[in-house]
Amino acid sequence: MEIRIPTNLVGGIIMMLLSIIIWFLIPEQIATDPAFQGGIVDSRFVPRILVGIMFILSMFLITLSLIFKKENIVVYDLKNEFRAFGYLGILVLYVLLVNYAGFLIACLLMGIGTLAYMKSKSLKYYMIIIVAFLIIYFVFTNLLAVPLPGMGV
Amino acid sequence: MFDVFIDGLIQFFAWETFLFMNIGILIGIIFGAIPGLTGNLGIIIFLPFSFSMDPQTSIIFLMAIFIGGEFGGSISSILIGIPGTNAAVATMLDGYPLTQQGHGKKTLITALLASAVGGTISGILLLVAAPTIANFTVNFGPPEYFALTLFGISVVAGISGRNLAAGIISGSIGVLLSLVGMDTVSGSQRFTFGVTELMSGLPLLPLLIGVFAVPSIIEQLDATNSSKKEESKKVLINSKSKDPLTKKDVKKVTPTILQGSFIGSFIGAIPGAGASIAAFMSYDQAKRSSKTPQKFGKGEIKGVVASESANNAVTAASLIPLLSLGIPGSPSAAVLLGAFMVQGMEPGPTLFENQGVILYAIMIGIIVTSFFMFIQGRILSKYLVKVTNVPYQVMVPLLVLMCTAGAFAANNSVFGMQVFIIVGIVAFILKKLNFPLVPIVLGFVLGPLLEFNLRRSLVMSQGSWDIFITRPISLAFIAMTTIFLIYTLKKNKEQEN
């Protein structure tokens, strides 16, 4: 099954909403220093300009699509996209798991999980991944002196 | 200046520099040769390994990956008809037909020669041009810097995709991301949402890895499930055993190699243009100036050398705006900017004054890299085609591991991994919606410079924007930005029609 996305319209709407959200977040998220408050060069100055540019250009994209009927349609295979987002979900779980299980166990689970997700039936690939992961872990922790987290960070 | 050059030359001769240069070339060739991977991804993945090296060795190591990657892309293009990198697509047009005619090995060696010459000429131009431009820009004030930075981001936003508006939105997102954390002027916190780690801003390296690597890894995931798997099984047609590269062959292609090298160097020095554009421009020029243009596309060796000399000439030339102005001219240059910063060196005009010796050593190293790439390529060419058969299923988890370990190593914190994955997911979605990713990185890298100089300029002028048009250099950059944006809009409209 395929999905057709009018990128000017969808991208424009997403960016317009994002710019509105950021605009209203600015007073809450950026406290101005009394010395600069009210001046043109305070901390909110550049973020407001950028959000303004984003809003104007996203409106431009929406106008292009709806009024001038100029659209850039991309077609995606829904099955592949679900597969991609499913894998991104696995990566999120992996990063979260590092906090609880430590880097080595989490990455070994990620490696095996990735092969399983790709429906790999080759035992050789599983062995290669486990050995390669152990070597890379050793290189990072011992040769590069990167303190990759142990269990229960 | 000559004294600094001699000191740089002396400093360059260190055994570890030569060792890591050669390791970098090999890594680059392998990354370039595997379809779907690029030299740029190689730089990102091996960036953490450079942290413990001295500045000179680390930058030369990463540059060697970049340079090797551009040549590596030609291996799969020529031998199996699948371009290893986008820049090698033009190489494939004539390279693969030559392999089908039984000249695969000879074509590969000729491409190697063209790549090495292109890289060397580009390196020499870097050596001459970067200090000269830096000398000119050393007296720039905040308005000039602001206008220049704006020009850099605009050019990249314009060139990165067909839609200028989407490019500028991407650039704006990048600048906004760079503003997270403490405002260096007023001390206010911005967009930290109460997260302690965000107070010092988003870390550069996890962000770079996330933007470039996650969409690339997901593409590899697709590759395991698509026709690419079948394509990679294409049989390598055996080369004729006695088919050496003769002096006559070299003489025939020399003018095309030189032409391609200069085209590549010129295009490479323009921020955002990139190796792919250079390769096609050079190919097109070689075809136009040929007496037998009808042979192009059917196995004309000049087509191969035109593309290869140009795409390799982009490598060093793309460092000209980085080293002289502090503006990265390509995604790889943006990653290298991060590497410079990790080593405590901030690219820009003052770098030549403060750390000129190391810079000259690096630039000399870039020239020498092309020579060693030629030697490695000659020795390893017959084995290199095998790397294109690396199974994607093994590659995906390995890339994820290297990326996450690298993201962690940037700050020795799990926070880096979290930034990597969040930024990566956002980048993946933006790419699906046709928003170019390179302007995000450029915006992030140049954002602080842009904001700082804009605010300082307005303080200097007491709030008047006239300061940007009353100073000649600043006015020139603003005019160039405007002309470029109008030109891009016009060109995009022509393409649509």
Side-chain angles (χ1 to χ4, degrees):
Chain A
M1 192 183 157
E2 286 180 340
I3 180 169
R4 296 163 65 84
I5 299 180
T7 52
N8 282 351
L9 183 64
V10 176
I13 291 171
I14 291 174
M15 287 305 159
M16 184 189 70
L17 292 175
L18 186 68
S19 55
I20 292 171
I21 292 169
I22 299 174
W23 181 268
F24 285 107
L25 275 174
I26 286 174
E28 187 198 314
Q29 284 296 321
I30 306 177
T32 49
D33 187 290
F36 290 87
Q37 205 156 18
I40 190 167
V41 290
D42 68 6
S43 310
R44 295 174 181 175
F45 176 60
V46 173
R48 278 185 168 147
I49 291 180
L50 292 166
V51 173
I53 291 171
M54 279 174 66
F55 182 79
I56 291 166
L57 291 177
S58 57
M59 289 302 289
F60 172 74
L61 287 176
I62 295 168
T63 311
L64 265 188
S65 173
L66 295 180
I67 296 177
F68 295 100
K69 306 292 175 199
K70 281 187 179 171
E71 193 45 272
N72 191 357
I73 294 176
V74 287
V75 182
Y76 293 113
D77 180 11
L78 213 53
K79 196 180 157 194
N80 278 350
E81 297 315 308
F82 276 130
R83 196 171 129 88
F85 278 101
Y87 190 62
L88 287 172
I90 290 179
L91 295 185
V92 172
L93 283 179
Y94 157 56
V95 171
L96 291 175
L97 194 64
V98 170
N99 278 317
Y100 302 100
F103 191 86
L104 186 60
I105 292 173
C107 76
L108 283 171
L109 287 174
M110 178 274 293
I112 293 165
T114 301
L115 286 175
Y117 193 72
M118 291 191 286
K119 294 174 184 160
S120 173
K121 287 171 186 163
S122 167
L123 186 65
K124 191 173 83 180
Y125 290 174
Y126 284 89
M127 297 308 292
I128 289 173
I129 285 297
I130 290 170
V131 173
F133 276 27
L134 290 173
I135 292 171
I136 293 170
Y137 184 80
F138 174 81
V139 169
F140 268 90
T141 49
N142 291 285
L143 302 182
L144 297 176
V146 175
L148 291 171
M151 287 176 73
V153 180
Chain B
M1 190 191 277
F2 189 68
D3 293 346
V4 186
F5 171 77
I6 296 295
D7 289 343
L9 188 65
I10 295 165
Q11 179 153 334
F12 164 70
F13 285 98
W15 70 267
E16 61 267 39
T17 303
F18 281 89
L19 175 70
F20 284 105
M21 175 198 291
N22 280 286
I23 294 172
I25 293 167
L26 185 63
I27 293 168
I29 292 176
I30 292 170
F31 266 76
I34 298 173
L37 304 190
T38 59
N40 188 39
L41 190 63
I43 298 176
I44 289 168
I45 285 179
F46 283 89
L47 198 57
F49 290 86
S50 72
F51 291 171
S52 54
M53 299 174 191
D54 63 78
Q56 166 188 322
T57 307
S58 81
I59 303 296
I60 291 175
F61 168 67
L62 297 172
M63 267 310 284
I65 297 177
F66 185 17
I67 293 168
E70 289 302 339
F71 165 66
S74 72
I75 295 172
S76 46
S77 278
I78 292 170
L79 297 181
I80 58 172
I82 302 172
T85 57
N86 287 341
V89 174
T91 308
M92 187 189 69
L93 297 177
D94 285 283
Y96 189 52
L98 280 165
T99 298
Q100 288 176 311
Q101 292 159 22
H103 303 294
K105 193 178 169 191
K106 184 174 169 179
T107 307
L108 194 60
I109 292 170
T110 316
L112 177 64
L113 176 72
S115 297
V117 174
T120 307
I121 289 178
S122 163
I124 293 168
L125 284 177
L126 168 70
L127 194 66
V128 176
T132 312
I133 299 171
N135 207 23
F136 170 69
T137 57
V138 80
N139 292 322
F140 275 16
E144 286 78 16
Y145 256 112
F146 167 73
L148 172 66
T149 316
L150 190 68
F151 174 67
I153 295 179
S154 305
V155 170
V156 174
I159 289 177
S160 298
R162 273 190 157 190
N163 193 331
L164 181 63
I168 296 175
I169 290 175
S170 291
S172 303
I173 291 173
V175 180
L176 269 172
L177 289 173
S178 77
L179 303 182
V180 172
M182 188 186 282
D183 172 16
T184 49
V185 179
S186 69
S188 304
Q189 295 292 333
R190 297 192 283 194
F191 302 115
T192 53
F193 298 93
V195 178
T196 316
E197 287 94 337
L198 284 178
M199 286 182 181
S200 51
L202 282 166
L204 172 66
L205 297 180
L207 185 130
L208 284 175
I209 300 173
V211 169
F212 288 127
V214 170
S216 183
I217 288 169
I218 300 297
E219 274 171 27
Q220 301 306 312
L221 194 74
D222 282 346
T224 64
N225 197 27
S226 70
S227 57
K228 284 183 189 172
K229 209 158 83 178
E230 290 305 312
E231 286 173 31
S232 67
K233 287 180 183 168
K234 279 184 183 174
V235 180
L236 168 63
I237 295 165
N238 288 329
S239 295
K240 289 172 185 171
S241 54
K242 288 196 175 177
D243 187 23
L245 185 67
T246 61
K247 273 186 185 173
K248 196 180 161 194
D249 293 328
V250 174
K251 201 176 168 188
K252 182 186 163 191
V253 295
T254 301
T256 314
I257 292 178
L258 292 176
Q259 181 181 274
S261 303
F262 283 107
I263 290 175
S265 300
F266 179 72
I267 300 292
I270 301 171
S276 192
I277 294 172
F280 272 106
M281 275 188 73
S282 173
Y283 183 86
D284 190 47
Q285 191 55 40
K287 192 176 172 182
R288 278 168 201 256
S289 54
S290 170
K291 287 174 187 165
T292 52
Q294 71 279 6
K295 285 187 180 173
F296 280 71
K298 294 170 189 162
E300 170 59 76
I301 190 68
K302 283 183 183 174
V304 175
V305 296
S307 160
E308 276 307 296
S309 54
N311 71 31
N312 249 75
V314 165
T315 52
S318 71
L319 290 195
I320 294 175
L322 176 66
L323 296 185
S324 57
L325 306 169
I327 291 180
S330 65
S332 299
V335 181
L336 285 165
L337 174 63
F340 272 105
M341 286 172 164
V342 167
Q343 297 289 349
M345 301 165 78
E346 191 150 338
T350 51
L351 191 61
F352 277 93
E353 282 183 357
N354 303 335
Q355 305 200 45
V357 175
I358 296 177
L359 268 193
Y360 274 103
I362 289 169
M363 290 191 288
I364 292 163
I366 290 168
I367 296 170
V368 177
T369 301
S370 292
F371 172 73
F372 279 98
M373 181 182 75
F374 184 76
I375 294 174
Q376 277 202 35
R378 287 233 51 171
I379 298 168
L380 301 173
S381 60
K382 59 185 166 186
Y383 306 108
L384 289 174
V385 69
K386 290 183 181 170
V387 303
T388 60
N389 292 330
V390 173
Y392 288 105
Q393 290 177 332
V394 173
M395 218 155 59
V396 170
L398 279 177
L399 289 174
V400 173
L401 172 66
M402 297 285 278
C403 287
T404 46
F408 179 90
N411 294 61
N412 285 341
S413 148
V414 180
F415 179 65
M417 292 170 71
Q418 292 162 350
V419 170
F420 155 76
I421 193 66
I422 293 169
V423 169
I425 292 171
V426 173
F428 176 74
I429 294 169
L430 288 178
K431 198 176 176 189
K432 289 281 171 195
L433 292 171
N434 267 349
F435 284 95
L437 301 181
V438 177
I440 297 179
V441 171
L442 262 287
F444 184 79
V445 168
L446 297 177
L449 201 66
L450 188 84
E451 188 197 27
F452 181 73
N453 287 301
L454 172 62
R455 291 168 72 180
R456 268 192 67 189
S457 303
L458 290 175
V459 168
M460 279 166 64
S461 67
Q462 293 174 325
S464 168
W465 290 81
D466 289 352
I467 193 166
F468 299 110
I469 50 170
T470 51
R471 294 168 69 123
I473 295 172
S474 166
L475 176 65
F477 281 120
I478 298 282
M480 279 159 65
T481 307
T482 313
I483 291 167
F484 174 78
L485 292 178
I486 293 169
Y487 168 75
T488 310
L489 278 174
K490 208 177 157 189
K491 203 175 136 205
N492 288 353
K493 207 170 181 181
E494 279 172 11
Q495 279 178 344
E496 276 172 23
N497 293 335

